[in-house]
Structures are given as structure tokens and as C-alpha cells.
Amino acid sequence: MTWYFQGSLVFADVPTGAHTNPRPVVVISDAERPYLEEEATVVCLGTKADDRYGHSTPVLPNDVITNAHLKKTTYVLPWAIYTIPLSSIDDTLPQGRLTDEGMELIADAVDDMIRP
């Protein structure tokens, strides 16, 4: 594959280097994105969310993911939006795709963060 569809759930190296293992991310860029075959815009997912975050971190339920299953409770981290090189995505790990409902949950989380 030379690019990833919007809504793809993949595992990638964290751009900040905060973790050594690939982490789940959701591709939020669409097919009209510049440099589509080189990089993707993603929102990171995490397994921890608590009161120290000033923004909503909604749970991403497994029923909005097709072809993959996250083993732990997973949260959308709306402030963790990055542009990553496609080479940072580990194609040997499971991949899935978010439903329209899942993408709407992510869009709402980002919108809640930027529109207080």
C-alpha cells in the first residue's frame, strides 16, 4: 500500500519518542492530502486518561473499529495530532478501520478541544 485511507487504525512509532513500542494511531488525513504517499496526519490513542488533562479524552469503543480489536480501554488524545512519515507505521502489526461513528467521535473530540 502506498497510502492509508482516512480512518485507518494502525500502529506507528510515536513522533515524540515518549514510547519505544509502536502505538495505535488513527489516520485523519484524506486522499486529497499533499504528499499522500510519503506521510499521513494522525491522532494518537492512549490507554491512560485522567484529570490532569484539560480536554475530553473519550473512550474509543471496539464496536467502532472493523478488522481489529484493542485489548485495553483506549482513549482518543485530541491534542496529539501529528504528521508522520509512512515509514514509521509498522505494517506487521494489526490494522483496522474506524466506522463513520468512530471518525465522528474523533472529530468531536478535536472540535471540543479547539472550540472551548
Side-chain angles (χ1 to χ4, degrees), residues 9 17-20 25 35-36 43 50 60 63 68 78 81-82 85 94 97 104 110-111 115-116:
L9 178 114
H19 302 280
T20 56
V25 299
Y35 310 108
L36 181 67
V43 63
D50 57 34
L60 185 68
D63 65 354
I81 297 174
Y82 299 99
R97 188 134 183 217
E104 202 160 308
V110 172
D111 187 60
R115 296 181 212 246

Side-chain angles (χ1 to χ4, degrees), residues 59-108:
V59 171
L60 185 68
N62 273 305
D63 65 354
V64 300
I65 305 168
T66 59
N67 299 324
H69 179 81
L70 298 170
K71 294 178 183 177
K72 296 181 179 181
T73 300
T74 303
Y75 301 90
V76 177
L77 308 178
W79 59 86
I81 297 174
Y82 299 99
T83 297
I84 62 169
L86 296 185
S87 61
S88 69
I89 295 173
D90 188 337
D91 285 329
T92 66
L93 294 174
Q95 295 182 18
R97 188 134 183 217
L98 268 62
T99 63
D100 289 344
E101 181 183 355
M103 287 302 290
E104 202 160 308
L105 185 139
I106 288 177
D108 288 346

